[in-house]
Amino acid sequence: MIKASTTFTIAIGLALLATTAVAADQKQAMSAKVDPDKNFFDELNKREGTFAKYLFLASPAVRDDPSLRELAAQMLATDLSFLGRPNDALRAFPMRKDDRPRPDDELSVPTISAFNAMPAVDWITNEASNYRMIMVNEAHHVPQTRVLTFSLLRTLCDKGFDVLAVETLVNNGYEPLAKGYPNRGTGMYSQEPVFAELLREAKRLGYKLLPYETNAARSEETQQQRETGQAQAIADFLASNPNARILVHAGYGHINERQKDSPDSARPMAMELARLTDLPMLTVDQTSTRSYELNDIKTIGRQLSTRFQVTEPSVLIDRKNGTPWSNKPGANDVSVLLPTPSASPIRPDWLTLGGIRQAMMVDMTPCIDHLPCLAEARYTNEGDDAIPADQFVLLSKDETSAPLYLAPGRYRLRLVGNEGRALTERELSVAVATSGTPQSTAIP
């Protein structure tokens, strides 16, 4: 497992990755040797696009070198999540620590007799009238932690929320979606299709997208400077827009309201934002329980998700006094339990985004002789630089029946082999579903 300090270094490298299109020659990434005398990130950055970077990270040159394999683990997980394999992303970067409560602590764990589970969207929406700021966190290699924010956009819009502040957005003074759609220049983690759909939905609903990341190079600022800088950017916006109501989507501990356990003992962004604005905020944690881990990882989140038979993002409410349960009381107001993913599907059904998208079966047989092979679907009204509405990298001929998850609309569908060339391109129309059966379309 990568240590915390190494993880931060990897995050730096991820932020510096090139944001260009798919490479013209993917085979180089599969066979290239890594010169140990050269910087690993320099070698990685030579590969253009997520698919090429994945081929490099999964190549024997990295896989067979223990030190490089460890260094690449989180980046490989991120690329797998970008390429439509969320369960494989969890396998690539698991946190093996068993954080279930000890027997002496079992009395503090919510029980069905004392707590009631309810949909997180409903509870947060009901609470929204009391706040100008609601903060939700994510695990960067777990797209499932973006589904709640996607679902909240519409209900919070009806409550008057009109700003979405997103950590991943490039903060360069320009409109984040200048072309009307997310592309590689929009941000790092927004290159993942579910995140890209979240930004499209926010734009469609009329939200203003607010970048708030600091512009300093990570090597040139302390953790405290970053946390304070993020908070200051949001505070300045709120001061200039006194009627704005803001939903913040951030990573991990940035939404913590206390200093304990923070990297480098820094005061987290949420704590700094409270100091700068003196405004109450609702902080919604999805990461500390790790309810999204696969079934070979033992966590309190998995334990509770099973106990309460959670089928959608849910919160636990005390039956006596109506207070929400938090796995980190004092740091976050409420913890969300996600449905425990089944390890068997290559593409889990939460990718429907609550029924917005459908499982579409497409003919991927042209990929069989060109593995790994990428299937990607872009909206017809967006450019070739757009982040796909969905994409999936095939690693085996047995995976040709894996679906793409797409909302009703028109798409350009493309299959790209490991040589970097398009095997086939075709327009695809997705109609409103009339049954639970996935639609099918062939690619000649």
Side-chain angles (χ1 to χ4, degrees), residues 53-264:
K53 295 183 192 307
Y54 164 76
L55 292 173
F56 169 71
L57 293 170
S59 69
V62 175
R63 187 180 64 242
D64 296 342
D65 184 317
S67 61
L68 291 180
R69 184 171 63 246
E70 182 180 12
L71 183 61
Q74 187 178 5
M75 288 179 288
L76 182 61
T78 299
D79 282 352
L80 285 166
S81 74
F82 286 8
L83 295 171
R85 304 183 70 99
N87 284 350
D88 284 347
L90 292 172
R91 294 185 186 98
F93 189 63
M95 296 180 64
R96 293 287 175 188
K97 178 182 177 183
D98 184 342
D99 63 359
R100 290 173 300 173
R102 296 183 300 273
D104 292 345
D105 297 330
E106 278 291 341
L107 293 177
S108 65
V109 178
T111 60
I112 292 177
S113 61
F115 284 83
N116 176 55
M118 70 177 295
V121 170
D122 293 347
W123 185 84
I124 294 168
T125 303
N126 289 339
E127 294 292 313
S129 299
N130 301 319
Y131 300 93
R132 281 185 66 194
M133 289 187 290
I134 296 176
M135 307 182 79
V136 182
N137 68 356
E138 72 160 37
H140 293 316
H141 69 299
V142 187
Q144 190 181 9
T145 57
R146 293 161 188 154
V147 176
L148 174 60
T149 300
F150 180 94
S151 300
L152 283 170
L153 288 172
R154 178 175 290 279
T155 61
L156 292 184
C157 182
D158 293 340
K159 289 283 188 175
F161 280 73
D162 54 359
V163 180
L164 176 65
V166 186
E167 177 184 322
T168 192
L169 293 176
V170 171
N171 189 3
N172 58 7
Y174 293 96
E175 173 64 32
L177 299 187
K179 292 187 174 183
Y181 55 81
N183 57 24
R184 293 189 183 279
T186 301
M188 178 59 203
Y189 297 109
S190 55
Q191 295 176 48
E192 187 274 313
V194 172
F195 211 145
E197 286 295 276
L198 188 160
L199 297 181
R200 289 186 182 97
E201 178 74 354
K203 181 177 176 62
R204 189 182 69 78
L205 291 171
Y207 279 84
K208 175 179 175 56
L209 295 178
L210 177 64
Y212 64 86
E213 187 60 271
T214 61
N215 288 319
R218 292 288 175 270
S219 59
E220 298 176 359
E221 69 175 353
T222 65
Q223 186 68 22
Q224 187 61 71
Q225 288 171 330
R226 184 185 181 202
E227 303 285 353
T228 302
Q230 290 178 336
Q232 190 67 61
I234 297 174
D236 289 345
F237 179 86
L238 288 170
S240 300
N241 299 271
N243 295 319
R245 305 185 74 188
I246 186 168
L247 172 61
V248 180
H249 185 86
Y252 297 104
H254 291 300
I255 71 162
N256 288 351
E257 297 181 70
R258 71 181 182 195
Q259 195 170 0
K260 182 182 177 182
D261 301 325
S262 181
D264 297 337

Side-chain angles (χ1 to χ4, degrees), residues 274-315:
R275 175 181 64 83
L276 292 168
T277 65
D278 200 29
L279 291 172
M281 65 184 70
L282 180 66
T283 54
V284 181
D285 164 52
Q286 296 188 93
T287 65
S288 74
T289 66
R290 293 164 52 217
S291 55
Y292 48 74
E293 297 282 9
L294 297 179
N295 55 16
D296 62 330
I297 310 289
K298 310 303 181 185
T299 70
I300 186 174
R302 283 189 47 82
Q303 177 182 343
L304 291 175
S305 290
T306 300
R307 176 178 295 178
F308 286 87
Q309 299 182 358
V310 168
T311 59
E312 62 184 309
S314 300
V315 296

